[in-house]
Protein backbone atom coordinates (compact mmCIF):
# COMPACT_ATOMS: atom_id res chain seq x y z
CA UNK A 1 0.00 0.00 0.00
CA UNK A 2 2.87 2.38 0.85
CA UNK A 3 4.45 1.79 -2.53
CA UNK A 4 1.07 2.34 -4.21
CA UNK A 5 0.59 5.68 -2.46
CA UNK A 6 4.14 6.71 -3.22
CA UNK A 7 3.49 6.34 -6.95
CA UNK A 8 -0.19 7.26 -7.28
CA UNK A 9 -0.65 10.09 -4.77
CA UNK A 10 1.71 12.59 -6.47
CA UNK A 11 -0.10 11.95 -9.77
CA UNK A 12 -3.50 12.51 -8.17
CA UNK A 13 -2.29 15.69 -6.50
CA UNK A 14 -0.92 16.97 -9.82
CA UNK A 15 -4.24 16.29 -11.54
CA UNK A 16 -6.09 18.15 -8.78
CA UNK A 17 -3.72 21.08 -9.08
CA UNK A 18 -4.15 21.29 -12.85
CA UNK A 19 -7.94 21.08 -12.63
CA UNK A 20 -8.14 23.71 -9.92
CA UNK A 21 -5.75 26.02 -11.70
CA UNK A 22 -7.52 25.81 -15.06
CA UNK A 23 -6.15 26.24 -18.52
CA UNK A 24 -6.15 30.05 -18.37
CA UNK A 25 -3.22 29.96 -15.94
CA UNK A 26 -1.08 28.89 -18.85
CA UNK A 27 -2.18 31.80 -20.99
CA UNK A 28 -2.17 34.33 -18.13
CA UNK A 29 -5.50 35.81 -19.32
CA UNK A 30 -6.77 38.14 -16.55
CA UNK A 31 -10.17 38.39 -18.23
CA UNK A 32 -10.84 34.69 -17.65
CA UNK A 33 -13.02 34.51 -14.54
CA UNK A 34 -11.42 31.53 -12.70
CA UNK A 35 -10.87 31.96 -8.97
CA UNK A 36 -8.29 29.15 -9.06
CA UNK A 37 -6.16 30.99 -11.63
CA UNK A 38 -3.07 32.58 -9.99
CA UNK A 39 -3.27 35.33 -12.64
CA UNK A 40 -6.75 36.28 -11.56
CA UNK A 41 -6.52 39.25 -9.16
CA UNK A 42 -9.55 37.93 -7.31
CA UNK A 43 -7.98 34.50 -6.68
CA UNK A 44 -6.96 33.27 -3.23
CA UNK A 45 -3.88 30.98 -3.19
CA UNK A 46 -4.29 27.83 -1.15
CA UNK A 47 -2.23 24.75 -0.18
CA UNK A 48 -4.55 21.73 -0.06
CA UNK A 49 -2.03 19.09 1.01
CA UNK A 50 1.52 17.80 0.81
CA UNK A 51 3.05 14.33 0.82
CA UNK A 52 6.57 12.92 1.01
CA UNK A 53 8.52 10.98 -1.56
CA UNK A 54 8.86 7.84 0.59
CA UNK A 55 5.21 7.81 1.53
CA UNK A 56 6.12 7.97 5.21
CA UNK A 57 6.63 10.50 7.97
CA UNK A 58 9.78 8.95 9.45
CA UNK A 59 12.97 9.20 7.41
CA UNK A 60 16.75 9.27 7.62
CA UNK A 61 17.22 11.10 4.30
CA UNK A 62 19.23 14.31 3.94
CA UNK A 63 16.75 15.57 1.37
CA UNK A 64 13.12 14.75 0.76
CA UNK A 65 10.83 15.44 -2.18
CA UNK A 66 7.64 17.18 -1.13
CA UNK A 67 4.63 16.69 -3.37
CA UNK A 68 1.72 19.11 -3.13
CA UNK A 69 -1.79 20.02 -4.26
CA UNK A 70 -2.58 23.72 -4.62
CA UNK A 71 -4.97 26.17 -6.21
CA UNK A 72 -4.33 29.72 -7.42
CA UNK A 73 -0.64 29.33 -6.63
CA UNK A 74 2.08 30.62 -8.95
CA UNK A 75 5.05 30.24 -6.58
CA UNK A 76 5.67 28.17 -3.46
CA UNK A 77 7.95 28.52 -0.48
CA UNK A 78 8.70 25.23 1.33
CA UNK A 79 11.19 24.53 4.09
CA UNK A 80 11.80 22.54 7.26
CA UNK A 81 10.86 24.27 10.53
CA UNK A 82 11.17 23.19 14.13
CA UNK A 83 7.59 23.89 15.21
CA UNK A 84 4.17 24.83 13.95
CA UNK A 85 3.75 28.63 13.84
CA UNK A 86 7.18 29.15 12.32
CA UNK A 87 7.27 30.55 8.80
CA UNK A 88 8.96 28.78 5.90
CA UNK A 89 12.12 30.34 4.55
CA UNK A 90 14.24 30.25 1.42
CA UNK A 91 13.52 30.84 -2.23
CA UNK A 92 10.13 30.85 -3.88
CA UNK A 93 9.71 28.10 -6.46
CA UNK A 94 7.82 28.83 -9.67
CA UNK A 95 4.89 26.57 -10.49
CA UNK A 96 4.76 27.58 -14.17
CA UNK A 97 6.53 24.41 -15.29
CA UNK A 98 3.86 22.23 -13.58
CA UNK A 99 6.50 20.27 -11.64
CA UNK A 100 4.56 18.81 -8.74
CA UNK A 101 7.34 18.38 -6.17
CA UNK A 102 10.01 20.44 -4.43
CA UNK A 103 13.18 19.02 -2.88
CA UNK A 104 13.63 20.13 0.73
CA UNK A 105 16.97 19.66 2.57
CA UNK A 106 16.88 17.75 5.86
CA UNK A 107 20.38 18.51 7.10
CA UNK A 108 19.31 18.53 10.72
CA UNK A 109 19.88 16.36 13.78
CA UNK A 110 17.48 13.62 14.74
CA UNK A 111 14.16 14.95 15.99
CA UNK A 112 10.59 15.95 15.25
CA UNK A 113 10.10 18.70 12.65
CA UNK A 114 7.51 20.14 10.29
CA UNK A 115 7.47 20.80 6.60
CA UNK A 116 5.99 24.32 6.23
CA UNK A 117 4.59 25.39 2.87
CA UNK A 118 2.85 28.50 1.55
CA UNK A 119 1.98 29.81 -1.90
CA UNK A 120 1.39 33.11 -3.63
CA UNK A 121 -0.35 34.21 -6.79
CA UNK A 122 0.78 36.62 -9.48
CA UNK A 123 -0.33 39.56 -7.36
CA UNK A 124 1.71 38.59 -4.27
CA UNK A 125 -1.31 37.40 -2.32
CA UNK A 126 0.04 34.72 0.05
CA UNK A 127 -1.77 31.66 1.33
CA UNK A 128 -1.89 30.42 4.88
CA UNK A 129 0.91 28.07 5.95
CA UNK A 130 0.32 24.36 5.66
CA UNK A 131 2.23 22.18 8.13
CA UNK A 132 3.01 18.49 7.83
CA UNK A 133 4.90 16.74 10.63
CA UNK A 134 8.01 14.70 9.87
CA UNK A 135 10.37 12.69 12.07
CA UNK A 136 14.06 12.67 11.22
CA UNK A 137 15.49 9.42 12.57
CA UNK A 138 19.26 9.02 12.31
CA UNK A 139 19.95 5.93 14.40
CA UNK A 140 18.97 2.33 14.96
CA UNK A 141 20.39 0.13 17.70
CA UNK A 142 20.07 -3.44 18.92
CA UNK A 143 19.31 -4.09 22.56
CA UNK A 144 19.44 -7.92 22.51
CA UNK A 145 20.01 -10.57 19.84
CA UNK A 146 20.58 -14.25 20.54
CA UNK A 147 19.60 -17.75 19.45
CA UNK A 148 18.70 -20.76 21.53
CA UNK A 149 17.34 -24.29 21.27
CA UNK A 150 13.95 -24.98 22.86
CA UNK A 151 14.82 -28.52 23.94
CA UNK A 152 15.84 -28.88 27.57
CA UNK A 153 18.37 -31.47 26.39
CA UNK A 154 20.24 -29.01 24.16
CA UNK A 155 22.06 -25.73 24.45
CA UNK A 156 23.81 -23.43 21.96
CA UNK A 157 27.03 -25.26 22.81
CA UNK A 158 25.67 -28.52 21.38
CA UNK A 159 26.07 -29.76 17.84
CA UNK A 160 22.73 -29.50 16.07
CA UNK A 161 21.35 -31.95 13.53
CA UNK A 162 18.42 -32.19 11.10
CA UNK A 163 15.12 -31.98 12.94
CA UNK A 164 16.51 -29.72 15.67
CA UNK A 165 14.86 -26.32 16.19
CA UNK A 166 16.64 -22.98 16.56
CA UNK A 167 14.79 -20.00 18.09
CA UNK A 168 16.04 -16.50 17.24
CA UNK A 169 15.19 -13.48 19.41
CA UNK A 170 15.76 -9.78 18.66
CA UNK A 171 14.90 -6.77 20.83
CA UNK A 172 15.41 -3.44 19.08
CA UNK A 173 16.52 -0.54 21.26
CA UNK A 174 13.87 2.12 21.83
CA UNK A 175 14.64 5.51 20.26
CA UNK A 176 13.04 8.95 20.45
CA UNK A 177 10.08 7.79 18.36
CA UNK A 178 9.18 4.59 20.23
CA UNK A 179 9.92 1.00 19.39
CA UNK A 180 10.91 0.13 15.84
CA UNK A 181 7.94 -1.99 14.92
CA UNK A 182 8.08 -1.86 11.14
CA UNK A 183 11.70 -2.66 10.52
CA UNK A 184 13.28 -5.54 8.64
CA UNK A 185 15.51 -8.09 10.40
CA UNK A 186 17.40 -10.86 8.53
CA UNK A 187 19.74 -13.53 9.88
CA UNK A 188 22.75 -14.84 7.96
CA UNK A 189 24.60 -18.08 8.80
CA UNK A 190 27.42 -19.27 6.54
CA UNK A 191 26.00 -19.79 3.04
CA UNK A 192 22.51 -20.72 4.25
CA UNK A 193 19.71 -18.72 2.62
CA UNK A 194 19.04 -15.58 4.65
CA UNK A 195 15.78 -15.67 6.57
CA UNK A 196 13.72 -12.89 8.10
CA UNK A 197 12.53 -12.51 11.67
CA UNK A 198 8.89 -11.61 12.28
CA UNK A 199 7.88 -8.65 14.42
CA UNK A 200 5.85 -9.74 17.45
CA UNK A 201 5.33 -6.66 19.60
CA UNK A 202 7.12 -3.65 21.09
CA UNK A 203 10.20 -4.00 18.90
CA UNK A 204 10.57 -7.75 19.52
CA UNK A 205 11.29 -9.96 16.49
CA UNK A 206 11.32 -13.77 16.53
CA UNK A 207 11.75 -16.76 14.22
CA UNK A 208 11.97 -20.52 14.70
CA UNK A 209 13.96 -22.56 12.20
CA UNK A 210 13.87 -26.34 11.89
CA UNK A 211 17.12 -27.68 10.47
CA UNK A 212 16.97 -29.94 7.45
CA UNK A 213 19.51 -31.54 5.16
CA UNK A 214 19.17 -28.88 2.48
CA UNK A 215 21.34 -26.64 4.69
CA UNK A 216 25.10 -26.99 4.55
CA UNK A 217 26.88 -28.32 7.61
CA UNK A 218 28.60 -25.62 9.67
CA UNK A 219 31.16 -25.55 12.46
CA UNK A 220 31.46 -22.60 14.85
CA UNK A 221 29.82 -20.25 12.37
CA UNK A 222 28.86 -16.74 13.53
CA UNK A 223 25.15 -15.94 13.58
CA UNK A 224 24.87 -12.49 12.02
CA UNK A 225 21.91 -10.12 12.11
CA UNK A 226 21.27 -7.29 9.68
CA UNK A 227 18.57 -4.87 10.80
CA UNK A 228 17.02 -1.93 8.97
CA UNK A 229 14.49 0.26 10.74
CA UNK A 230 11.43 1.89 9.23
CA UNK A 231 13.34 5.09 8.51
CA UNK A 232 16.07 3.24 6.61
CA UNK A 233 18.81 3.20 9.25
CA UNK A 234 20.87 0.00 9.07
CA UNK A 235 22.63 -1.99 11.76
CA UNK A 236 24.90 -4.26 9.70
CA UNK A 237 26.61 -7.44 10.86
CA UNK A 238 25.43 -7.58 14.46
CA UNK A 239 26.78 -10.89 15.72
CA UNK A 240 25.21 -13.12 18.36
CA UNK A 241 27.42 -14.16 21.26
CA UNK A 242 27.15 -17.88 20.48
CA UNK A 243 28.47 -19.44 17.30
CA UNK A 244 26.48 -22.24 15.69
CA UNK A 245 27.56 -25.76 14.86
CA UNK A 246 25.17 -27.85 12.80
CA UNK A 247 26.83 -31.06 11.74
CA UNK A 248 25.54 -34.32 10.39
CA UNK A 249 26.52 -37.01 7.98
CA UNK A 250 24.74 -36.46 4.66
CA UNK A 251 23.01 -39.31 2.86
CA UNK A 252 25.49 -41.06 0.61
CA UNK A 253 28.64 -40.05 2.46
CA UNK A 254 31.24 -42.79 2.16
CA UNK A 255 33.49 -43.88 5.00
CA UNK A 256 35.92 -46.78 5.21
CA UNK A 257 35.68 -49.13 8.17
CA UNK A 258 38.09 -51.84 9.25
CA UNK A 259 36.62 -55.25 8.52
CA UNK A 260 37.09 -56.57 12.01
CA UNK A 261 40.73 -57.37 12.73
CA UNK A 262 41.27 -58.93 9.31
CA UNK A 263 43.39 -56.08 8.00
CA UNK A 264 40.86 -55.50 5.23
CA UNK A 265 38.66 -52.41 4.91
CA UNK A 266 35.13 -52.03 3.61
CA UNK A 267 33.53 -48.88 2.14
CA UNK A 268 30.27 -48.03 3.90
CA UNK A 269 27.62 -45.48 2.91
CA UNK A 270 25.65 -43.44 5.44
CA UNK A 271 21.85 -43.80 5.20
CA UNK A 272 19.83 -41.30 7.27
CA UNK A 273 16.65 -42.10 9.13
CA UNK A 274 13.54 -41.32 7.15
CA UNK A 275 10.13 -42.31 5.85
CA UNK A 276 9.31 -43.73 2.43
CA UNK A 277 6.66 -45.66 0.52
CA UNK A 278 7.64 -49.33 0.17
CA UNK A 279 6.37 -51.76 -2.45
CA UNK A 280 4.48 -51.23 -5.69
CA UNK A 281 1.14 -49.85 -6.69
CA UNK A 282 -1.20 -52.49 -8.07
CA UNK A 283 -0.95 -52.47 -11.84
CA UNK A 284 2.63 -51.19 -11.92
CA UNK A 285 4.26 -52.69 -15.05
CA UNK A 286 6.38 -55.70 -14.10
CA UNK A 287 5.17 -55.81 -10.48
CA UNK A 288 4.30 -59.07 -8.70
CA UNK A 289 1.42 -59.48 -6.22
CA UNK A 290 3.78 -59.94 -3.26
CA UNK A 291 4.84 -56.29 -3.69
CA UNK A 292 1.33 -55.08 -2.79
CA UNK A 293 0.03 -53.08 -1.08
CA UNK A 294 2.32 -50.09 -1.21
CA UNK A 295 2.71 -48.88 2.38
CA UNK A 296 4.51 -46.25 4.42
CA UNK A 297 7.64 -47.32 6.29
CA UNK A 298 9.59 -45.25 8.78
CA UNK A 299 13.24 -46.01 9.49
CA UNK A 300 13.91 -44.39 12.85
CA UNK A 301 17.67 -44.86 13.06
CA UNK A 302 20.40 -44.08 10.53
CA UNK A 303 22.74 -46.88 9.53
CA UNK A 304 25.75 -47.68 7.38
CA UNK A 305 25.38 -50.03 4.41
CA UNK A 306 28.22 -51.36 2.29
CA UNK A 307 28.86 -49.38 -0.86
CA UNK A 308 29.47 -52.51 -2.87
CA UNK A 309 28.37 -56.11 -2.62
CA UNK A 310 30.72 -58.01 -0.31
CA UNK A 311 33.67 -59.13 -2.42
CA UNK A 312 35.39 -62.48 -2.46
CA UNK A 313 38.46 -60.99 -0.85
CA UNK A 314 36.40 -59.54 2.00
CA UNK A 315 34.54 -62.82 2.49
CA UNK A 316 37.75 -64.84 2.63
CA UNK A 317 39.26 -62.40 5.15
CA UNK A 318 36.49 -63.34 7.64
CA UNK A 319 34.90 -66.70 6.75
CA UNK A 320 36.39 -70.16 6.34
CA UNK A 321 33.75 -71.62 4.03
CA UNK A 322 33.46 -70.67 0.39
CA UNK A 323 32.18 -72.17 -2.81
CA UNK A 324 32.38 -69.47 -5.46
CA UNK A 325 31.01 -70.31 -8.90
CA UNK A 326 33.67 -68.61 -11.01
CA UNK A 327 37.42 -68.53 -10.65
CA UNK A 328 37.67 -64.78 -10.86
CA UNK A 329 39.55 -61.94 -9.18
CA UNK A 330 39.06 -60.78 -5.62
CA UNK A 331 36.99 -57.71 -6.59
CA UNK A 332 34.14 -59.89 -7.84
CA UNK A 333 31.18 -60.29 -5.49
CA UNK A 334 31.18 -63.35 -3.25
CA UNK A 335 28.45 -65.65 -4.58
CA UNK A 336 27.02 -69.10 -3.89
CA UNK A 337 26.29 -67.81 -0.41
CA UNK A 338 23.61 -69.45 1.67
CA UNK A 339 21.77 -67.62 4.39
CA UNK A 340 23.37 -70.04 6.88
CA UNK A 341 26.88 -69.27 5.57
CA UNK A 342 26.30 -65.62 6.22
CA UNK A 343 24.68 -65.95 9.65
CA UNK A 344 26.64 -68.84 11.16
CA UNK A 345 30.06 -68.15 9.71
CA UNK A 346 30.70 -64.67 8.32
CA UNK A 347 28.72 -62.41 10.65
CA UNK A 348 29.59 -64.20 13.93
CA UNK A 349 33.29 -64.16 13.03
CA UNK A 350 33.19 -60.50 12.05
CA UNK A 351 31.38 -59.35 15.19
CA UNK A 352 33.56 -61.55 17.43
CA UNK A 353 36.70 -59.99 15.98
CA UNK A 354 35.43 -56.57 17.08
CA UNK A 355 33.84 -57.68 20.33
CA UNK A 356 30.41 -56.28 19.42
CA UNK A 357 27.25 -57.02 17.44
CA UNK A 358 27.29 -54.04 15.09
CA UNK A 359 27.43 -55.95 11.79
CA UNK A 360 24.36 -57.63 10.26
CA UNK A 361 22.34 -58.04 7.09
CA UNK A 362 19.94 -55.23 6.11
CA UNK A 363 16.26 -55.66 6.75
CA UNK A 364 14.18 -55.76 3.61
CA UNK A 365 12.87 -52.25 4.40
CA UNK A 366 16.38 -50.88 4.94
CA UNK A 367 17.47 -52.41 1.66
CA UNK A 368 14.64 -50.88 -0.40
CA UNK A 369 14.98 -47.50 1.34
CA UNK A 370 18.68 -47.38 0.43
CA UNK A 371 18.00 -48.61 -3.10
CA UNK A 372 15.42 -45.93 -3.80
CA UNK A 373 17.79 -43.19 -2.55
CA UNK A 374 15.01 -40.73 -1.85
CA UNK A 375 12.74 -41.56 -4.81
CA UNK A 376 9.79 -43.70 -3.76
CA UNK A 377 7.37 -42.62 -6.48
CA UNK A 378 8.74 -44.52 -9.51
CA UNK A 379 9.80 -48.06 -10.47
CA UNK A 380 13.50 -47.19 -10.38
CA UNK A 381 15.28 -44.42 -8.53
CA UNK A 382 15.95 -42.72 -11.90
CA UNK A 383 12.28 -42.83 -12.97
CA UNK A 384 9.67 -45.21 -14.32
CA UNK A 385 11.74 -45.97 -17.44
CA UNK A 386 8.82 -47.57 -19.22
CA UNK A 387 11.03 -48.75 -22.07
CA UNK A 388 13.86 -49.96 -19.80
CA UNK A 389 16.26 -47.72 -21.71
CA UNK A 390 18.51 -46.83 -18.75
CA UNK A 391 18.79 -50.15 -16.93
CA UNK A 392 22.07 -51.11 -18.66
CA UNK A 393 23.71 -48.08 -17.06
CA UNK A 394 23.15 -49.45 -13.54
CA UNK A 395 22.47 -53.20 -13.61
CA UNK A 396 23.92 -56.55 -14.72
CA UNK A 397 20.99 -58.77 -15.69
CA UNK A 398 19.97 -61.46 -18.20
CA UNK A 399 20.30 -59.34 -21.36
CA UNK A 400 23.73 -57.80 -20.73
CA UNK A 401 25.56 -60.00 -18.20
CA UNK A 402 26.09 -63.07 -20.45
CA UNK A 403 25.26 -65.24 -17.43
CA UNK A 404 28.44 -64.00 -15.69
CA UNK A 405 28.88 -61.98 -12.55
CA UNK A 406 31.01 -58.86 -12.91
CA UNK A 407 33.44 -56.89 -10.73
CA UNK A 408 31.65 -54.78 -8.14
CA UNK A 409 31.21 -51.12 -9.03
CA UNK A 410 31.56 -51.65 -12.79
CA UNK A 411 28.40 -49.64 -13.51
CA UNK A 412 27.06 -46.35 -12.19
CA UNK A 413 25.86 -45.88 -8.57
CA UNK A 414 22.55 -44.55 -7.31
CA UNK A 415 22.34 -41.00 -5.86
CA UNK A 416 23.45 -42.31 -2.46
CA UNK A 417 26.66 -43.76 -3.91
CA UNK A 418 25.55 -47.39 -3.77
CA UNK A 419 26.67 -49.68 -6.60
CA UNK A 420 25.01 -52.83 -7.95
CA UNK A 421 21.75 -52.36 -6.07
CA UNK A 422 20.20 -53.70 -9.27
CA UNK A 423 21.53 -57.00 -10.61
CA UNK A 424 24.93 -58.76 -10.57
CA UNK A 425 24.19 -60.93 -7.51
CA UNK A 426 21.03 -60.94 -5.44
CA UNK A 427 21.49 -59.83 -1.84
CA UNK A 428 20.29 -61.54 1.32
CA UNK A 429 18.14 -59.63 3.77
CA UNK A 430 17.64 -60.56 7.41
CA UNK A 431 13.84 -61.01 7.13
CA UNK A 432 11.92 -64.22 6.79
CA UNK A 433 9.77 -63.96 3.68
CA UNK A 434 6.04 -63.26 3.78
CA UNK A 435 3.58 -61.42 1.59
CA UNK A 436 3.16 -57.80 2.59
CA UNK A 437 0.49 -56.92 5.06
CA UNK A 438 -3.07 -57.00 3.86
CA UNK A 439 -3.31 -53.54 5.33
CA UNK A 440 -1.49 -50.54 3.93
CA UNK A 441 -1.17 -49.02 7.42
CA UNK A 442 2.16 -47.30 8.18
CA UNK A 443 4.83 -49.39 9.91
CA UNK A 444 7.97 -48.47 11.83
CA UNK A 445 11.28 -50.34 11.56
CA UNK A 446 9.75 -53.57 10.22
CA UNK A 447 11.87 -56.74 10.54
CA UNK A 448 9.54 -59.30 9.01
CA UNK A 449 7.95 -62.34 10.65
CA UNK A 450 9.69 -64.19 13.48
CA UNK A 451 9.75 -67.50 11.60
CA UNK A 452 9.32 -68.78 8.07
CA UNK A 453 10.38 -71.27 5.45
CA UNK A 454 12.24 -68.81 3.23
CA UNK A 455 14.37 -65.71 3.53
CA UNK A 456 14.08 -62.50 1.55
CA UNK A 457 16.51 -61.61 -1.17
CA UNK A 458 16.65 -58.32 -3.06
CA UNK A 459 18.11 -56.59 -6.10
CA UNK A 460 17.90 -59.25 -8.78
CA UNK A 461 20.95 -60.91 -10.32
CA UNK A 462 22.85 -61.59 -13.54
CA UNK A 463 20.22 -64.08 -14.74
CA UNK A 464 17.13 -62.05 -13.81
CA UNK A 465 14.72 -60.60 -16.31
CA UNK A 466 14.94 -56.85 -16.78
CA UNK A 467 11.62 -56.27 -14.97
CA UNK A 468 13.21 -57.78 -11.83
CA UNK A 469 15.61 -54.83 -11.66
CA UNK A 470 12.84 -52.64 -10.22
CA UNK A 471 13.44 -51.23 -6.73
CA UNK A 472 10.43 -53.03 -5.22
CA UNK A 473 11.10 -56.45 -6.74
CA UNK A 474 11.28 -59.28 -4.17
CA UNK A 475 12.73 -62.78 -4.12
CA UNK A 476 12.37 -65.58 -1.58
CA UNK A 477 15.06 -68.24 -1.40
CA UNK A 478 15.75 -71.57 0.28
CA UNK A 479 18.63 -72.04 2.65
CA UNK A 480 21.09 -73.71 0.28
CA UNK A 481 24.07 -72.29 -1.56
CA UNK A 482 22.67 -70.44 -4.56
CA UNK A 483 24.93 -69.44 -7.40
CA UNK A 484 23.25 -66.07 -7.94
CA UNK A 485 23.17 -65.13 -4.26
CA UNK A 486 25.50 -62.65 -2.56
CA UNK A 487 25.24 -60.14 0.27
CA UNK A 488 25.61 -56.57 1.41
CA UNK A 489 26.48 -55.53 4.97
CA UNK A 490 24.86 -53.13 7.42
CA UNK A 491 26.69 -51.62 10.37
CA UNK A 492 24.59 -50.34 13.24
CA UNK A 493 25.29 -46.81 14.47
CA UNK A 494 25.70 -46.85 18.25
CA UNK A 495 23.64 -44.28 20.14
Amino acid sequence: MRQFLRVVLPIVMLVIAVVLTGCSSIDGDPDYDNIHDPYNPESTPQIHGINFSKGQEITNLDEISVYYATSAVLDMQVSLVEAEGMEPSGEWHSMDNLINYINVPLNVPEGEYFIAARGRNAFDAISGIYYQGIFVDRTAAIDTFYWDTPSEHQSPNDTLAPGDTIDFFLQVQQDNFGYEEQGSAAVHIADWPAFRLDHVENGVYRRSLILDRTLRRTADEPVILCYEDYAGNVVPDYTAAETLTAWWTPAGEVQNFPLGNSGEEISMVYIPAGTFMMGSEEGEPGADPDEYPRHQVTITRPYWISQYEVTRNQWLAIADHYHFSQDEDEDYPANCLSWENVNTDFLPNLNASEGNDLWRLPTEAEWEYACRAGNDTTRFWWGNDGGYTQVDQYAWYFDNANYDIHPVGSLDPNPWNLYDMHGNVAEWCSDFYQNYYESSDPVVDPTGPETGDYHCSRGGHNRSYISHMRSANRYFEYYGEIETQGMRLVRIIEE
Side-chain angles (χ1 to χ4, degrees):
M1 177 60 74
R2 188 179 301 119
Q3 180 67 25
F4 174 80
L5 291 175
R6 187 183 310 167
V7 174
V8 173
L9 188 58
I11 297 174
V12 173
M13 296 175 73
L14 175 60
V15 171
I16 294 172
V18 171
V19 171
L20 292 176
T21 301
C23 296
S24 64
S25 64
I26 298 175
D27 300 329
D29 182 3
D31 296 328
Y32 188 82
D33 188 16
N34 182 354
I35 62 172
H36 303 299
D37 186 349
Y39 292 97
N40 185 342
E42 302 299 324
S43 66
T44 301
Q46 289 183 315
I47 308 293
H48 299 288
I50 60 177
N51 185 48
F52 305 128
S53 58
K54 292 187 70 176
Q56 61 185 45
E57 298 174 355
I58 303 177
T59 184
N60 68 342
L61 297 176
D62 292 326
E63 181 178 80
I64 193 167
S65 296
V66 177
Y67 297 84
Y68 51 82
T70 65
S71 61
V73 170
L74 184 65
D75 303 310
M76 280 188 67
Q77 187 181 44
V78 183
S79 70
L80 189 72
V81 297
E82 294 183 358
E84 288 184 299
M86 298 180 66
E87 295 188 355
S89 59
E91 64 179 304
W92 288 82
H93 300 269
S94 172
M95 301 292 100
D96 269 348
N97 56 9
L98 295 182
I99 295 176
N100 68 325
Y101 70 90
I102 295 172
N103 291 327
V104 177
L106 299 179
N107 299 317
V108 292
E110 182 172 282
E112 181 178 1
Y113 298 89
F114 292 86
I115 298 293
R118 60 185 173 185
R120 67 185 180 188
N121 64 12
F123 302 95
D124 291 331
I126 297 178
S127 71
I129 301 174
Y130 189 97
Y131 295 95
Q132 177 65 54
I134 185 170
F135 297 96
V136 178
D137 185 357
R138 301 295 187 198
T139 60
I142 305 302
D143 182 79
T144 305
F145 171 61
Y146 66 86
W147 66 273
D148 201 354
T149 53
S151 171
E152 61 182 10
H153 304 295
Q154 291 180 317
S155 74
N157 296 321
D158 293 336
T159 298
L160 304 177
D164 289 340
T165 299
I166 309 174
D167 289 338
F168 298 90
F169 177 89
L170 166 65
Q171 172 68 70
V172 179
Q173 196 172 103
Q174 188 177 11
D175 60 18
N176 294 329
F177 313 111
Y179 285 106
E180 303 283 4
E181 299 185 2
Q182 299 184 57
S184 173
V187 174
H188 303 264
I189 303 170
D191 60 357
W192 294 6
F195 52 91
R196 295 191 178 278
L197 307 187
D198 300 317
H199 181 258
V200 181
E201 59 180 356
N202 298 332
V204 172
Y205 296 75
R206 291 182 179 273
R207 175 72 179 270
S208 290
L209 176 69
I210 299 177
L211 293 182
D212 62 50
R213 292 180 179 274
T214 64
L215 302 173
R216 184 175 68 83
R217 297 177 295 178
T218 64
D220 291 325
E221 287 286 348
V223 178
I224 300 172
L225 172 77
C226 182
Y227 175 74
E228 181 177 356
D229 70 7
Y230 183 71
N233 300 299
V234 175
V235 179
D237 299 342
Y238 189 96
T239 305
E242 301 286 351
T243 60
L244 187 145
T245 296
W247 199 260
W248 55 86
T249 306
E253 180 162 292
V254 180
Q255 183 173 321
N256 288 337
F257 286 80
L259 197 61
N261 59 8
S262 68
E264 294 292 325
E265 287 191 338
I266 185 168
S267 296
M268 304 294 289
V269 171
Y270 180 83
I271 308 298
T275 297
F276 77 110
M277 297 302 295
M278 185 174 180
S280 299
E281 294 280 7
E282 291 192 38
E284 177 181 297
D288 295 316
D290 67 348
E291 300 168 23
Y292 311 146
R294 193 163 178 260
H295 55 285
Q296 179 179 289
V297 173
T298 297
I299 307 293
T300 61
R301 293 182 57 184
Y303 55 98
W304 294 95
I305 191 169
S306 52
Q307 186 175 25
Y308 308 97
E309 294 160 330
V310 170
T311 66
R312 298 180 175 193
N313 193 54
Q314 291 165 340
W315 177 273
L316 293 173
I318 299 297
D320 298 326
H321 177 86
Y322 70 95
H323 183 201
F324 305 140
S325 64
Q326 296 174 213
D327 186 17
E328 299 290 357
D329 294 336
E330 59 188 24
D331 60 347
Y332 279 67
N335 72 325
C336 290
L337 303 183
S338 71
W339 198 87
E340 293 95 330
N341 296 155
V342 174
N343 286 278
T344 62
D345 192 1
F346 187 87
L347 287 175
N349 289 349
L350 177 55
N351 283 320
S353 70
E354 292 192 355
N356 57 43
D357 291 310
L358 299 181
W359 298 95
R360 60 171 173 82
L361 290 173
T363 67
E364 196 178 8
E366 288 170 339
W367 190 97
E368 185 171 329
Y369 178 55
C371 177
R372 289 186 175 277
N375 184 359
D376 62 359
T377 61
T378 56
R379 299 196 305 165
F380 306 94
W381 63 259
W382 62 84
N384 279 318
D385 197 3
Y388 298 101
T389 59
Q390 294 178 256
V391 177
D392 284 15
Q393 188 175 344
Y394 307 104
W396 294 114
Y397 62 103
F398 180 83
D399 290 345
N400 68 354
N402 196 30
Y403 280 86
D404 292 329
I405 59 174
H406 293 263
V408 299
S410 301
L411 301 177
D412 291 343
N414 75 3
W416 287 355
N417 289 317
L418 293 170
Y419 291 83
D420 300 311
M421 294 298 284
H422 311 272
N424 211 14
V425 292
E427 300 169 13
W428 285 118
C429 294
S430 61
D431 310 48
F432 284 104
Y433 174 83
Q434 70 173 8
N435 285 329
Y436 284 154
Y437 312 100
E438 294 181 3
S439 168
S440 58
D441 291 342
V443 292
V444 176
D445 295 327
T447 58
E450 294 183 3
T451 61
D453 295 328
Y454 309 101
H455 277 283
C456 292
S457 176
R458 283 303 202 108
H461 50 74
N462 59 323
R463 300 181 185 183
S464 295
Y465 294 118
I466 195 169
S467 62
H468 293 181
M469 298 299 103
R470 294 172 302 103
S471 301
N473 188 73
R474 308 176 71 203
Y475 285 102
F476 60 92
E477 302 290 0
Y478 296 99
Y479 294 96
E481 294 177 351
I482 303 171
E483 185 175 353
T484 55
Q485 196 66 48
M487 66 176 292
R488 191 179 296 263
L489 278 172
V490 157
R491 182 178 173 88
I492 298 170
I493 296 175
E494 296 181 281
E495 295 183 348

